[in-house]
Amino acid sequence: MTEGAESARLFLALWPDAALQAALAGCRDAWQWPRGASRVPTGQLHLTLHFIGNVARQRLPLLGDALQVACDPFDLALGTPELWPRGLAVLRPAVVPSSLIQLRTALGDALRQLDLPVDAREFRPHVTLARRAPGATPPPFSPELSWRVNGYTLVESVPGAGYRIARNFPFDYA
């Protein structure tokens, strides 16, 4: 499917509130960045659960109810900075809560029911702080950030404009 007005490039994510995004930005800004590093803007910091890819816009109304899965709120502690291959700077949890794995699994099942792609690679939960940052140096100490996860989000990646929240899925829905 071609990208454009007929399709939307989508992903499912944990989307932090403004206070947590500011705390994540503080962690991001504590790194030493090489020239040319592309830091993720504060308002776009998130944890991707599933990258979906291009979906025909006519299908978007059908996704809402189909992507709503049950999950109880859970806590996620982020605080392990790492530099991954190809200069991807991330902050990840030291311990991955089972509730996060269960949520991702349930969403994967929902995507399969919709005949949408599910990434087969191992899930390595993280918040991307910067791209194209080979040689970046993480801070010697990174505070642990506590995240009370109360829902997840369907997000559209808009070329040239960043991300747009398509729909929030709070855990306390009726």
Side-chain angles (χ1 to χ4, degrees), residues 83-88 124:
L83 186 61
W84 289 357
R86 295 189 304 267
L88 190 69
R124 295 179 9 174

Side-chain angles (χ1 to χ4, degrees), residues 2-174:
T2 60
E3 212 170 10
E6 310 83 36
S7 66
R9 188 171 174 87
L10 303 173
F11 63 94
L12 289 162
L14 300 182
W15 203 267
D17 62 21
L20 182 57
Q21 281 182 328
L24 289 164
C27 291
R28 176 200 61 208
D29 295 343
W31 285 61
Q32 297 295 314
W33 298 111
R35 183 175 303 225
S38 178
R39 288 179 271 184
V40 175
T42 300
Q44 295 182 14
L45 293 165
H46 66 278
L47 189 152
T48 300
L49 296 168
H50 285 283
F51 175 75
I52 301 169
N54 291 331
V55 175
R57 288 200 182 276
Q58 66 194 28
R59 290 190 71 189
L60 294 182
L62 304 173
L63 297 183
D65 291 340
L67 289 176
Q68 192 163 287
V69 301
C71 187
D72 291 325
F74 60 91
D75 293 313
L76 178 62
L78 296 167
T80 304
E82 293 181 348
L83 186 61
W84 289 357
R86 295 189 304 267
L88 190 69
V90 303
L91 189 64
R92 64 172 191 81
V95 176
V96 178
S98 61
S99 294
L100 176 58
I101 299 301
Q102 292 166 0
L103 172 62
R104 186 171 186 277
T105 299
L107 288 169
D109 292 344
L111 290 168
R112 283 184 198 88
Q113 289 294 318
L114 292 163
D115 285 327
L116 291 172
V118 176
D119 195 344
R121 292 178 294 179
E122 177 186 359
F123 180 47
R124 295 179 9 174
H126 64 278
V127 173
T128 299
L129 302 175
R131 293 176 180 80
R132 295 182 297 282
T137 305
F141 172 77
S142 184
E144 186 173 276
L145 301 178
S146 180
W147 184 351
R148 181 67 174 170
V149 178
N150 292 307
Y152 56 97
T153 305
L154 178 65
V155 184
E156 179 180 358
S157 180
V158 181
Y163 302 135
R164 182 184 70 78
I165 304 298
R167 180 160 176 185
N168 288 310
F169 296 90
F171 291 152
D172 59 349
Y173 60 85

